[in-house]
Amino acid sequence: MEAAAPHSPAEPGSVQIVVTSSEQMRELGRRLAKLLRAGDLVMLSGELGAGKTTLTRGLGEGLGVRGAVTSPTFVIARVHPSLGDGPPLVHVDAYRLSGGLDEMEDLDLDVSLPDSVVVVEWGEGKVEELTEDRLQVLIHRAVGDTTDEVRQMTVTGVGERWATADLSVLAA
């Protein structure tokens, strides 16, 4: 992994990262897990196949949770309890949810959030109201008929929780 080229500077509170393989994406998830604690909301955005679930798999490994982290597309949400003293991981795929926060409220994420790390794929416009503090991860990949595994990522901390966090450790 490397810091992205300075073609578009990252906004304050964000870091740009280039990932070139699925193993690097998992490793990024493991490093990101070290920054997370109970009560954190992570929003993942990107095209189908961009690596959102692969990143979350690495997060689960880094958090030391039980169960294989797979896409919760059809069950909408999965809870992975901690195998140690860390927080559980709540993994949500909001792709099939058309409504905003009302539909998300049926999942009781507001109840899970204080005690868990909540990761929401496709959560834009749906979960921002859960908390003022969140980590937004935007993953860009080449689209179309390509085998290109390069991902351009922007990780942005929003709110007081992330104001002083050193996100540059993710690009190490």
Side-chain angles (χ1 to χ4, degrees):
M1 277 172 282
E2 58 192 59
H7 65 285
S8 60
E11 60 187 82
S14 72
V15 63
Q16 293 185 339
I17 304 162
V18 175
V19 175
T20 59
S21 69
S22 59
E23 182 48 44
Q24 281 188 358
M25 187 68 80
R26 281 176 79 160
E27 175 57 31
L28 177 61
R30 290 188 286 268
R31 279 205 311 275
L32 178 56
K34 294 176 184 175
L35 298 177
L36 299 175
R37 62 183 186 218
D40 284 342
L41 172 65
V42 180
M43 288 177 40
L44 303 179
S45 304
E47 298 88 2
L48 286 170
K52 297 178 293 295
T53 300
T54 301
L55 179 69
T56 306
R57 190 169 295 124
L59 270 172
E61 292 167 4
L63 290 171
V65 298
R66 184 177 69 214
V69 175
T70 58
S71 178
T73 300
F74 297 105
V75 295
I76 310 300
R78 281 198 175 92
V79 177
H80 298 273
S82 177
L83 293 172
D85 59 359
L89 172 65
V90 178
H91 183 199
V92 179
D93 186 332
Y95 183 74
R96 295 180 344 148
L97 301 179
S98 58
L101 191 59
D102 290 342
E103 196 168 4
M104 295 300 289
E105 283 179 352
D106 291 340
L107 299 175
D108 288 331
L109 293 181
D110 53 337
V111 173
S112 301
L113 187 57
D115 301 318
S116 308
V117 169
V118 177
V119 175
V120 181
E121 298 184 26
W122 305 98
E124 320 69 35
K126 299 174 184 170
V127 298
E128 290 89 342
E129 294 177 35
L130 286 174
T131 178
E132 293 179 9
D133 300 312
R134 64 188 170 276
L135 200 60
Q136 295 180 175
V137 180
L138 180 58
I139 307 170
H140 287 289
R141 71 170 183 89
V143 293
D145 187 19
T146 179
T147 58
D148 187 358
E149 288 197 44
V150 174
R151 305 297 191 258
Q152 305 283 337
M153 300 178 60
T154 303
V155 180
T156 305
V158 176
E160 188 176 323
R161 156 74 173 100
W162 296 102
T164 59
D166 183 11
L167 297 177
S168 68
V169 300
L170 299 174

